[in-house]
Amino acid sequence: GIEIIGWLYQYYISEKKDEVFAGLKKNKKITKENIPAATQLFTPKWIVKYMVENSLGRLWLESHPNEELKAQWKYYLEEAEQDPEVQKQLDALKDPNLNPEDIKVLDPAMGSGHILVYAFDVLYDIYLSAGYSEREIPTLILEKNLYGLDIDDRAGQLATFALLMKARSKNRRIFRNKPKMNLCSIQESNDIPREAIEYLVNPKETELEKHFHREDVEYLIEVFHDAKEYGSILEVREIDFDALEKRIEEIRNNVPEDLFELQYREVILEKIPSLIQQAKIMSQKYDVVCTNPPYMGQGNMTSKLVNYIKDHYVNSQGDFYTVFVERCMNLCLKNKYISMITQHSWMFVSSFQRFREYVFNNSIIRSLVHLGPRAFEEISGEVVQTASYILSKISNINFKGTYIKLDDISSPIGKERTYLYDNKNRRFIISRFELELIPKSPVAYWINKKLLNLYREPKYISSFVDGLVSGNKTANNDKYLRYVWEIDSNMVGDSWILYAKGGIYRKWYGNLENVIDWSGEARYFYKSNKTSNLLNEKFWFKTGITYTDLTSKGFNGRLLPADVLFDMSGPSILMADTEKLHYLIALLNSVVAEYILKLLNSSFHIKLNDLNRMPIILIEKTLLKDRIIQIAVNNIRISKTDWDSFETSWDFKRHPLITFKMAGAYAWGDNPPTSRISSAFKAWSIFTEGQFNQLKANEEELNRIFIEIYGLQDELTPDVDDKDVTITRIYESKEEIPESMKGNNYVLTREDVIKSFISYAVGCMFGRYSLDEEGLIYAGGDFDDKFRLRDGQWEIKTKEGWKKSRVNIVEHNVIPIADGDYFEDDILERFVEFVKVSFGEETLEENLDYIAETLGKRANETSRQAIRKYFLKDFYKDHVRTYKKRPIYWLFDSGRQDGFKALIYMHRYDPSTVARVRTDYLHSLQKKYEAEVSHLDILIDSDISQREKAAARKKKEKILKQIEECRLYDEAIAHVANQRIEIDLDDGVKVNYAKFQGVEIPQGKGRKPLKADLLAKI
């Protein structure tokens, strides 16, 4: 059947589709040759039935009521009861004299004919009900009722074949007198020569006749120049088709007098008839226009197509599919039907407002099935979200449309079944005038009537805030934005300003991890560059609410502190009144705001204009208002505490295991107190669980309050899913994480916590943090201002003055990472010392065991070996991940053999650092390797077992590989050490890190230099 033909067509076009979309990723436009592959989708059968039965079927039943016929069309939708005045107007439009032979149905993007074939079935039922004989019906349908257009020649052939096969199934003798069908694959006139036009004009006509017919011929050829670029959206006027067809017959029947006439005759007979046929189809109007139009944004169109649309379709130029809707309305007779399935963006997105107004002013929405994502079997995910709808070309009637909400059903079959068997529970009735109460008129058909009444005298955010501001735009984030941990901390608040840039879904507080270059030079660039934007000075350094504008989960408002600027992807609501700010952030983070914003815009972008179309109910000074504000303040505090628990936060104080060690010690009776990491972990876990539950309870209380304020008890519940609570929740292991929480950004395991503790320990070793002082200690500037070495003892400068540092700071900014005991001050020894200092010597081994077990200690390993293995293999990967590929500790790494590894702290780097890494550590390790080899040689020659000898040989083989790796690495590091490279923290990690990668090592005259990376790849 038709499904097989459609499947064959999709199979043939799929490879081309993949090629076209690969080109889009490279910014290639969709040419006319590729439009079919890029835009065609095979409409699901049930949606086709809905579209045809509720347009063509309804057209007939309005004038010829027939319960038996209606019962055959199971996708036919009963319309809502209308007000008497509206029903009277509708009744006046009915045509009791409508004849089946007079009905014209057009699919202007017919593809392989799926819609037209089902229209044949419905028409066949109509003809039978009107008393026609079964044998004559198929030919009548093909010749009088069905019309189709497409730009794809192969599609046109398949559609013709499909309809002929459908007709033959009803009349086996159909081919005896093959019907003249009205299907066209649109052809171009590009290669028709001028001389052919002259030959086409009848020489026997009068001069006046020639003039008019020449104009017609010239128009016909002109209008279809590059026709496949535009397809059915070409506006074609009616010309004297009869005269042209008569002339074609003359040329066909006359013998040409010479070779030139023969040449033109062939061109005319080959090209002109198809142009006449398609012009006829495109210039007349239809009772039903039913199609699944192509979807294509302007960014993917050629300039020629864009310009044509701008000139001819000013109401609908947002997307190719909206242009098609307007074209279909133009092709439709007054009071008749347009039936479509398109993307649903026109219903909600602000940029389609003009198009919505055009639809409302020129038609009524009889019914609409909101399909949302996953309506098509071959398309998964959220990319294509659709709606199918029936329009009547009637204006100025306050018609109550019927809407079926299926967008939240996750499967195509589920949508169909719900439509058929459960649509009463998902049916909404709303009039055009009610929809127009909402600013920008989104088709928010499911809006609660109480909420709709708020729009009769609405109050909006803009009336009581200091500004709704879209934010700054640098036009060059690589140059002007940094993560807060990259730069010299002394410059934050000066030439670099904390910057809200959207980020992951998070409520109340957080996502403050960027800084923006706010130097005079940078601000001049933002102001003067065409593609950037400088935030207006009156909006600098104001408190407010910032949020992530692109999110699949809804609004997520966060406090914008006064010392923070913001980006276009983190637009902000500015307000100095803290009471109103806390009230508003509570409202906007509630399910009520989520509900209303989805009414206004169901896309993933939440724009400031959307927020300002939300009706705001500000209750007066009451205990309820005070409670709302109190909860909001508490939520911000909880979220800030959580955000600051991690070292990527600007306000990070110390690691939570240090913070909670006393609580853990006393809660579980540790003796001596402050001794067990396991107890501290348990204490922090319990604390975070309490904070999580408190925040969830607070959000649910706010939901209950605002649901009652807005009267939405029948629409919403106050419940908050655990996965939508945006603070940390800690589990013992991955296996304990419930399915509903997997993949959540805020879930941590014990392993994550221990790894973050190790990272904090490394920070303390370098002097970035300290056990003796809260917060960031050193991240740029003069190191001697923070730490000093007195009589072999490190001291730290605190608020009370200089005092002894409990952690032994790395003196020369190098910590070696070795796979054996080659250095007294390697990272393992320093870490063991850190654990002893921070949690006590008495439980040192117990704590090391706990850490090692958490890291996955094997049965044949000691705890120290397991921890050493982590530093050697995984620490740096975790560090790079935590710091989003902008690491502050840099790993000098000789390669796969782990011959040499050493960490340095970027903020303590100086031009002598590389030389020190080489001479003090690399060379030292090379000598130790050589000594180890000598020792192994002696061992191999000694009187030991064969098993021991084999182990010694294996170890020697490994060390020899490490020696060779170190030798090659030494060449590279020597080359860089001699250059004494400078770095500038303002340039950020990416630029500075690259100075040590891809180093070219000269190999002598006539030989290509070798390339080597000094640092581990990130």
Side-chain angles (χ1 to χ4, degrees), residues 56 59-61 63-64 66 69 73 95-105 119-120 122-133 136-147 287-288:
L56 173 59
L59 173 72
W60 181 256
L61 291 176
S63 301
H64 301 78
N66 185 323
L69 196 56
W73 299 332
D95 178 11
N97 299 315
L98 181 66
N99 188 298
E101 295 182 45
D102 296 332
I103 299 172
K104 286 184 169 60
V105 180
F120 183 103
V122 171
L123 284 162
Y124 193 85
D125 294 340
I126 290 171
Y127 272 101
L128 283 178
S129 71
Y132 284 75
S133 71
E136 67 178 323
I137 294 173
T139 299
L140 288 172
I141 292 174
L142 294 184
E143 293 190 342
K144 294 197 170 190
N145 300 123
L146 296 181
Y147 296 78
D287 300 277
V288 175

Side-chain angles (χ1 to χ4, degrees), residues 616-635:
I616 302 297
I617 300 177
L618 273 177
I619 59 177
E620 297 302 321
K621 186 76 175 178
T622 62
L623 291 175
L624 183 61
K625 180 182 178 183
D626 291 343
R627 179 60 182 154
I628 291 169
I629 292 168
Q630 180 188 34
I631 295 172
V633 169
N634 191 22
N635 289 355

